[in-house]
Amino acid sequence: MCSTIKSIINTYFVMRNVLLTVAGIALMGCTQMNQQETLALVDVTQDYPEKEIALESVADLRLVRFEAPSEEYLFDGVPVVVSESLIVFHSFQRGDFWVFDGAGKPISAFNHKGNGPEDYLNLFGVVYDEAAKELFLAEKNKVKVFDTQGRFKRLLRLPENAWIDQLINYDAETLLLFDNQQRLHGIYPAMPPVEGEAYESSFVRISKQDGTLKGYLPAPADFEVPLMGKVQMPNGQEMPVLGTTSRIVAHREGVLLNNPESDTLCLAKGDALRPVWVTTPPIRTQGEPKSYLNGYVEAGGYRFFEVISLAKVQRPPLPTTYLAQEIKSGDVICPVLQWGDYTGKELHLSPMTIFRSRNARLGHQVLPLDELQEALETGKLKGNLKTLVEQMGEEENDLLMLMSFK
């Protein structure tokens, strides 16, 4: 059974007029909605039955082995771009980039970390434009564009007080950003007011060519509720710890805009915006510890999602419960994903599964080489995965599993 989380969201499908009564003005930011639209809500105040699901039944799987003709291509970073044609790893600490094609063949390796006009320093995100074959590297208040060989192309100038937290390819001409300024001022009202240029709303569309403002997506926002739990330190003090929050989640029909503080998940497509999920009771009225929904990803007839509990813990991360909703029936389960080639491998599907691909149909999972070699020795591997690991040497890169969701 999934563990109980004391919190949120009632489960049924209801019509818009009922939801407006339940959610009140929280929905008013998402106004363009068909009167007969239904919205899904999920009750996580109870335990849900476990259900085994074969990973192969919800996704087509492909393993990527990354070639390393020299030590230069032995990476130790994390994936920041995942697509069928390009996969990029990055070390945020050192600034290294390793660029491979979709089959794992090396394209380039570069490092331009520094303070120069064509360098990058502290990155908040990386987006790949497949049509233009360009990498958009986002810092706090600027975006620098490189080609896949690591050559600088141009600077996107943003307001001096912009504070990029997440970004995604929105359409052929624009990027969609989540700007952090309003959230920070909501949590910390004593912060001095912003002086100078700043964005007027949190979800911002900018030009891919020069960074000029193209518009806002007015999702509901109420940032006075801090999405933070607490860590109990050895000396007895408590330190705040942020919960995982996917503000922008790729969706098959557009992009999900996630502001858990306002209990509303909206779907954006072009200039249209409509609510698709509302949590109740509102997070403001919940007891402790509060919890929130962190978006969802669709696969094989399910919506897979995670619920974050703002609890007190001994060490990060905050407690997370992974659930799934059967799209046709609305039934909620605690999914136990089974991968035929890897006995006992713990797997979860959530918005974080597609965070680096920014593609609602493409998920990924890093498979560390040392873990795979141990699993091989203990007889846990089968099929193509076993054959591949048997062929690998000691000095190789980790594998990546790509999941094309059905």
Side-chain angles (χ1 to χ4, degrees), residues 9-251:
I9 339 175
N10 293 331
T11 282
Y12 41 75
F13 289 89
V14 292
M15 304 306 291
R16 177 176 183 264
N17 59 336
V18 177
L19 278 172
L20 286 173
T21 301
V22 173
I25 61 172
L27 285 177
M28 294 306 179
C30 300
T31 56
Q32 301 181 41
M33 178 182 174
N34 187 297
Q35 290 289 329
Q36 296 303 311
E37 291 277 2
T38 59
L39 290 88
L41 291 89
V42 179
D43 185 343
V44 291
T45 60
Q46 59 179 297
D47 287 343
Y48 288 106
E50 289 186 351
K51 179 179 180 179
E52 290 191 0
I53 299 175
L55 184 61
E56 297 87 343
S57 71
V58 299
D60 295 321
L61 309 180
R62 179 165 73 88
L63 298 171
V64 182
R65 180 182 181 183
F66 298 95
E67 297 179 13
S70 66
E71 290 187 2
E72 181 183 22
Y73 287 97
L74 290 173
F75 57 76
D76 62 355
V78 297
V80 291
V81 171
V82 176
S83 73
E84 293 286 358
S85 63
L86 194 81
I87 301 170
V88 181
F89 289 80
H90 176 56
S91 168
F92 284 88
Q93 181 178 5
R94 295 199 315 274
D96 295 300
F97 276 91
W98 298 269
V99 184
F100 300 86
D101 69 13
K105 297 184 181 298
I107 294 176
S108 67
F110 61 89
N111 187 327
H112 301 311
K113 187 170 184 176
N115 292 302
E118 298 184 1
D119 297 333
Y120 48 81
L121 196 55
N122 298 312
L123 298 182
F124 286 80
V126 180
V127 165
Y128 177 56
D129 185 326
E130 191 160 0
K133 292 182 168 50
E134 293 179 332
L135 294 166
F136 292 80
L137 278 55
E139 299 186 56
K140 178 176 178 287
N141 60 356
K142 67 186 75 171
V143 178
K144 292 184 177 179
V145 185
F146 292 78
D147 66 17
T148 56
Q149 295 294 328
R151 294 182 290 251
F152 177 79
K153 297 189 70 173
R154 64 186 180 277
L155 169 68
L156 308 189
R157 298 184 181 278
L158 308 182
E160 61 178 322
N161 289 300
W163 195 320
I164 300 174
D165 183 60
Q166 296 174 27
L167 72 164
I168 198 170
N169 248 327
Y170 194 65
D171 55 34
E173 287 77 36
T174 63
L175 299 173
L176 177 64
L177 317 176
F178 178 80
D179 182 79
N180 223 7
Q181 281 287 5
Q182 287 193 349
R183 186 188 73 86
L184 291 174
H185 280 80
I187 297 174
Y188 307 110
M191 283 182 63
V194 174
E195 296 181 1
E197 293 184 339
Y199 289 126
E200 298 175 1
S201 188
S202 297
F203 293 100
V204 188
R205 291 174 65 184
I206 65 167
S207 164
K208 291 181 181 179
Q209 293 304 310
D210 56 14
T212 55
L213 176 65
K214 294 299 182 181
Y216 298 106
L217 294 176
D222 177 5
F223 295 124
E224 295 181 6
V225 179
L227 300 181
M228 292 185 287
K230 295 178 180 179
V231 174
Q232 183 75 48
M233 306 297 289
N235 62 5
Q237 292 184 332
E238 295 180 351
M239 297 291 291
V241 57
L242 288 171
T244 300
T245 309
S246 302
R247 297 288 179 177
I248 304 173
V249 181
H251 188 274

Side-chain angles (χ1 to χ4, degrees), residues 55-60 252 298-302 361 404-406:
L55 184 61
E56 297 87 343
S57 71
V58 299
D60 295 321
R252 297 186 182 207
E298 294 183 358
Y302 296 91
R361 297 179 181 272
S404 297
F405 297 131
K406 298 177 181 180

Side-chain angles (χ1 to χ4, degrees), residues 201 220 263 305 324 328 335 352 363:
S201 188
D263 311 300
F305 61 97
K328 287 186 177 180
M352 297 307 296

Side-chain angles (χ1 to χ4, degrees), residues 255-311:
V255 175
L256 294 173
L257 308 184
N258 184 25
N259 276 339
E261 302 92 337
S262 58
D263 311 300
T264 309
L265 190 65
C266 290
L267 175 62
K269 183 177 182 180
D271 294 325
L273 198 63
R274 62 181 175 88
V276 291
W277 211 318
V278 177
T279 64
T280 184
I283 192 170
R284 278 179 171 272
T285 67
Q286 293 176 30
E288 298 295 339
K290 299 179 185 297
S291 299
Y292 64 92
L293 182 88
N294 192 35
Y296 64 82
V297 58
E298 294 183 358
Y302 296 91
R303 294 186 183 96
F304 291 89
F305 61 97
E306 59 187 355
V307 176
I308 314 297
S309 175
L310 301 177

